Each structure stands twice: as C-alpha cells, then as structure tokens.
Amino acid sequence: MLNDNKKSKLFLNSIILALYLSIPMFSKFVTWIFPISNVNVILISFLTIFFLFINKRCLKISKLFLIINLVVLFMFLISFVLVSDRTYTISYFLNYFLYCFLGMLFIQYDYDFKIILKMINFVFILFTFVLYFKFFPIIRTSIYLSFTMDLSYSALIGYVATVIYNLKYNKSIIFRIISYICLIINSYYLIFLNDNRGSLIALFLFFAIFFIKNLKSLKYRIVGIFSINYALNYIASMETDINWIVRLQFQMKINNISTDRDKLYERALEKIDDSIIVGNGIGEFENENEGVYTHNLFLQIACENGIIFATLISIFLFICFCKTVFRDIRNEKDLFLLFSLIQFIPRLLLSSVQWVNTFFWIYLYLFLDESNKKILNNSKSN
C-alpha cells in the first residue's frame, strides 16, 4: 500500500510539474475555451494548492533550495534600499515567486521525467489546435507580428519535449503519429510564419547539440560546430519570403541587426559605471528606461548586482553550458538539464529577464543539486 502511495505521488507530482512548465502553452488553450484574465496566476494557484494537498504529510525544504532563495531574498532587500522607485522591484519579486520559487519547490520532490515529457507532449497537441485554428488566420492577415515572439517560445517548450519523448520513450504508434503531425504544423509556423529569431536559434541549438553529442570524437565535434556556423551564415544570405529571414536581411542592410538592442546595451554599460561594485538594484535600470530591461542576462545582472557578481555568474554559467553541451547524456537528469538550457539560453540573452524565466532557475537548481551530490559521494568514498 505504501509503495502504491509513493507511485501515485510520483505520478501526480510529475503531472503537476509538467503542467507548471507548460503554462505558456496550456494557458493559451484555456483562454481559447474560456476567455478569462490572469489565467497564469489562476492555473499556477490551482497547481500549487493541489501539490500542497498531495504532499501535506511530507513537506520538505532542501538546504540548496533554502540557500538559493535566501540569496535572492537578500538581493531584493538590498534593491528595496537602492532603487529610486520600487514598482519594478516588487513586480519582479512577485514574478520570481510565481514562476521561479514555485518551480524550484516542485523540483525538490520525486518525479519521473518520462511522465513530464509525455504530459508536455499532450499539452503540445492541445496547443497545436489553438495555434492552427486561432493564430494561423491572424498571422496570415496581420502586418505586425510582434505577438509571435511569445507564441514561438511557448511552442518551443512543447516542440523540444515532444522530440525528446518520441525519440527516447514513446512506443504508441497512434500517439507518435499525432505528435509528428503537431511537430510538422509547429515547424511550418516557426520557420515560415514566425517573426522571432530567438526561438529558432534555440531550436537550432537543440538539434545542433544533439548532433554534436552523437559525434564521439572531439575532433569531429569541433568540425560539427564550424559546419553549423557555416549553415547559419548561408541561411542569412538566402533569397526568400520567410518572415524572420526577410526581417533579418532588412536589419542587416540598415545595420540594425540587434533591433536597437545596442542602444540598450550602451545605456546598461553607463548604468553599470554608476555603481560598479554593488550594482544599482533590481529594477533601477527599468525605472530609467520606461520599464524596458537590458535584453541581456549578463548586463542585467551587472546592472542589478555589480560587475564582480556578474563576472562570477558568467563564469559559472559558461562552465554549466560546456558541461551540458559536451558531456554525454547519461541519465534523465542530463536530459532535463539540456531541455531547460534550450528554453532559457537564447531568450535571456536576447529578449527576457531572469526573474520571470522558470527554466533558468530549474536549470540552476538541478545543476547545483547534481554537483552537490557528486561532492558528497566523493567525500564518502574517500
């Protein structure tokens, strides 16, 4: 009976975590059926209540979870003192709780990554219905396609999870056929209708890493990296009507490939100079730029927490990236790390901020947890 209870908790915790990670897709399906506001908050609240009910007798807080959140809390408390206006600081704090704190809370408990992938795959199928019947007609008749950025990053979650699940685990022919149809529809959207390059870079990075990981020799992996770079340059020079390529080529002609991000970077560097060591606090850059953030993870951290902290984080993330990319996939945790990495790397470098990105904090927690366990195992063996 106890064993069955553990299995049911494992299953339900996996479903909750999958739905939480799928919120950008799942919320679009829900609002398509029931047009309600604040759907993300409502859905996450229900998931959290259900999670607490399931685990009410075995609630646990790991030391790592506690340390990460104490550091984050300290950063916000310092920011409340430093910033001239606390509006954006409070907004980021609430978003962190909703999209990051809860994600790390859920990930502490036992889960089955195969169940997570399968559930995200199912949500991806629902999302594809919304994409095809609601958004395809809008995209075909709309001049302004800025809304496709959120749509494409939502699709990316399901796309990557579906590819991994069907390559590694799926044995149902019918479910596989349906999944492949959804992948084809989303591929058509991402390549031909989408106006956002970031999601395509992430998808290209995902397949590139899979390709590199299947090359056993380091020599061939290096050749593979240069081949991928050549392919990207070739794509950028193509003559085509594909939205994102036309936009890219136009921006290259007017020397604005960064879409005015370079101006934000200049302002960020000037702001960093104002307080190089301590930083200016979370939300201060936004206070001076009408709510616009730096659009770059490392500049954002340097603005908020100073150059020393930003340098340490940059070195740490570079090590994490190299280990995730070049290390062979040994278990499901390695797959989870790769899945999370793909979701946040291009987005945080180009078009978002870390306080609202679930996958950045999931990745951080998983990587540190794995490293901590290795250290403990090595000390025990010695």
Side-chain angles (χ1 to χ4, degrees), residues 69-83 86 88-97 281-283 304-305 355 361:
N69 285 288
L70 283 175
V71 171
V72 170
L73 180 61
F74 178 74
M75 290 162 62
F76 273 102
L77 290 174
I78 292 295
S79 298
F80 281 128
V81 176
L82 292 175
V83 297
R86 296 171 182 171
Y88 294 108
T89 311
I90 294 170
S91 175
Y92 281 149
F93 182 76
L94 294 174
N95 275 285
Y96 172 79
F97 176 79
I282 299 165
E304 293 173 350
N305 309 112
W355 304 116
W361 296 94

Side-chain angles (χ1 to χ4, degrees), residues 84-263:
S84 56
D85 184 337
R86 296 171 182 171
T87 303
Y88 294 108
T89 311
I90 294 170
S91 175
Y92 281 149
F93 182 76
L94 294 174
N95 275 285
Y96 172 79
F97 176 79
L98 201 64
Y99 297 109
C100 311
F101 175 89
L102 290 175
M104 288 187 286
L105 176 67
F106 296 159
I107 207 77
Q108 291 179 90
Y109 290 76
D110 291 336
Y111 59 84
D112 186 333
F113 189 55
K114 182 169 70 174
I115 296 172
I116 291 172
L117 289 174
K118 186 174 184 178
M119 189 64 201
I120 295 176
N121 192 163
F122 179 73
V123 175
F124 181 61
I125 293 169
L126 299 179
F127 169 79
T128 303
F129 277 96
V130 184
L131 180 68
Y132 186 82
F133 290 106
K134 179 183 178 180
F135 289 105
F136 270 28
I138 296 173
I139 293 169
R140 290 193 181 104
T141 57
S142 179
I143 298 174
Y144 302 103
L145 299 174
S146 57
F147 69 92
T148 61
M149 183 174 73
D150 174 64
L151 200 61
S152 60
Y153 280 122
S154 300
L156 181 69
I157 298 168
Y159 196 107
V160 174
T162 299
V163 169
I164 294 174
Y165 179 69
N166 283 276
L167 285 177
K168 294 282 185 181
Y169 304 111
N170 190 12
K171 294 180 181 179
S172 168
I173 295 175
I174 295 174
F175 193 65
R176 181 171 289 183
I177 291 170
I178 295 171
S179 298
Y180 285 164
I181 292 170
C182 291
L183 286 172
I184 291 168
I185 292 171
N186 279 268
S187 295
Y188 174 74
Y189 160 69
L190 288 168
I191 296 170
F192 295 102
L193 301 181
N194 171 38
D195 195 39
N196 173 39
R197 292 166 296 184
S199 57
L200 280 167
I201 292 171
L203 200 59
F204 198 89
L205 181 64
F206 168 67
F207 284 114
I209 291 172
F210 251 66
F211 169 70
I212 291 168
K213 281 182 178 291
N214 286 322
L215 297 174
K216 300 300 180 183
S217 169
L218 179 62
K219 174 176 64 177
Y220 291 132
R221 290 184 178 188
I222 293 170
V223 171
I225 291 169
F226 280 105
S227 300
I228 290 163
N229 183 57
Y230 174 79
L232 285 172
N233 289 328
Y234 175 76
I235 290 170
S237 63
M238 287 172 58
E239 291 187 9
T240 178
D241 292 330
I242 297 173
N243 287 336
W244 67 273
I245 295 180
V246 170
R247 179 170 170 243
L248 174 62
Q249 291 172 342
F250 173 74
Q251 289 169 342
M252 289 170 70
K253 284 180 183 177
I254 63 173
N255 294 318
N256 189 24
I257 194 169
S258 66
T259 326
D260 290 331
R261 286 183 178 86
D262 54 331
K263 295 176 182 177

